[in-house]
Amino acid sequence: MNSSTVIQEWTPVCHIEDIPKLGSRVLQQAGADNIAVFRASDDHIFAVVDRCPHKGGPLSAGLVHGHAVTCPLHGWNISLESGQAQAPDEGCARKVAVKVEAGKVYLSLAAQG
């Protein structure tokens, strides 16, 4: 294995049914940023660090619409697919790799913290 090889470690965090449609759940990590795990109306699952790039508001408390979330503090819209703030706002919430297998949600937490 060379040094450019990335090994992804997947951590089970919940079942898809544990996240309400158009809602979120927060994964709290000791010594690391909290992660917001979102479920869109089409059952796509997304995960980002639970902090708006604008003023650090909790994205997990925002309104989910389509594949985006609106920060509850100042109304910034953040794409859940890319983490990017939508124009005219600028900034990016850090994405976390997520996968769903047999109804169970997994996050790649190796690069977090």
Side-chain angles (χ1 to χ4, degrees), residues 56-111:
L59 293 175
S60 60
L63 296 174
V64 177
H65 46 93
H67 288 181
V69 63
T70 299
C71 178
L73 294 186
H74 299 102
W76 278 35
N77 289 313
I78 308 297
S79 166
L80 293 172
E81 294 173 334
S82 67
Q84 284 292 125
Q86 297 175 359
D89 301 319
E90 296 180 5
C92 190
R94 195 171 70 215
K95 285 182 43 172
V96 177
V98 61
K99 71 177 181 176
V100 178
E101 289 183 352
K104 189 170 250 186
V105 178
Y106 296 84
L107 299 181
S108 178
L109 303 176

Side-chain angles (χ1 to χ4, degrees), residues 43-57:
D43 288 332
H44 276 80
I45 302 295
F46 303 95
V48 297
V49 170
D50 193 20
R51 188 175 54 238
C52 180
H54 177 222
K55 298 270 185 178

